Amino acid sequence: MENKVNIEIRFSGNNFGAYVPALPGCVATGDTPNEIMQNIKEAIDFHVESSIEDNDPIDDVFKGQYDLVVKFDTVSLLNYYKGIFSNAALHRITGINEKQLQHYSSGLKKPRPAQREKIETGLHKLGKELLAVEL
């Protein structure tokens, strides 16, 4: 069985913030997607090591190997991947109008659940297609 740890990422307009619900107080910030992931991994390691040293209880998942599962809100997701996916590319993947996607990424509008599902489904479909590619 694989152990999974949820990481929640939010975009503040200037940078990204991440927190770990399973480790209250474990947070990190970063300017780029790579930086936020590096910083949150370091924060988790520090938090777990400090808890062990102080004999504070920690969830069993942190006592072995685990995978990080990144959870986004729509604004954060669209900003996190904006260097990879243009609104035109996301339109082709999701069927959602480019102007509407821009409103979602700027936070001017929140997508309805059906629109969030279209974005998630489109990205998952693309991911499955990419996993089948061999060069």
Side-chain angles (χ1 to χ4, degrees), residues 55-122:
N55 292 317
D56 291 336
I58 58 168
D59 194 304
D60 286 343
V61 71
F62 296 104
K63 295 177 182 174
Q65 297 285 18
Y66 56 87
D67 292 322
L68 298 179
V69 176
V70 179
K71 295 191 170 227
F72 293 97
D73 64 355
T74 307
V75 172
S76 302
L77 176 89
L78 295 175
N79 280 283
Y80 191 87
Y81 288 108
K82 74 179 175 186
I84 297 170
F85 295 111
S86 67
N87 286 339
L90 284 170
H91 165 69
R92 286 190 297 276
I93 293 169
T94 64
I96 299 172
N97 178 292
E98 289 179 50
K99 190 172 185 178
Q100 196 69 22
L101 288 164
Q102 180 59 40
H103 288 308
Y104 297 159
S105 67
S106 69
L108 291 175
K109 289 186 178 179
K110 289 190 177 196
R112 297 183 322 269
Q115 295 295 80
R116 287 195 313 267
E117 187 175 325
K118 278 185 177 181
I119 294 168
E120 186 174 325
T121 300

Side-chain angles (χ1 to χ4, degrees), residues 15-16 18 28-42 80:
N15 63 8
F16 294 93
T29 62
D31 293 328
T32 65
N34 287 338
E35 186 178 349
I36 191 63
M37 288 308 294
Q38 178 68 33
N39 291 349
I40 197 64
K41 287 175 186 176
E42 289 174 7
Y80 191 87

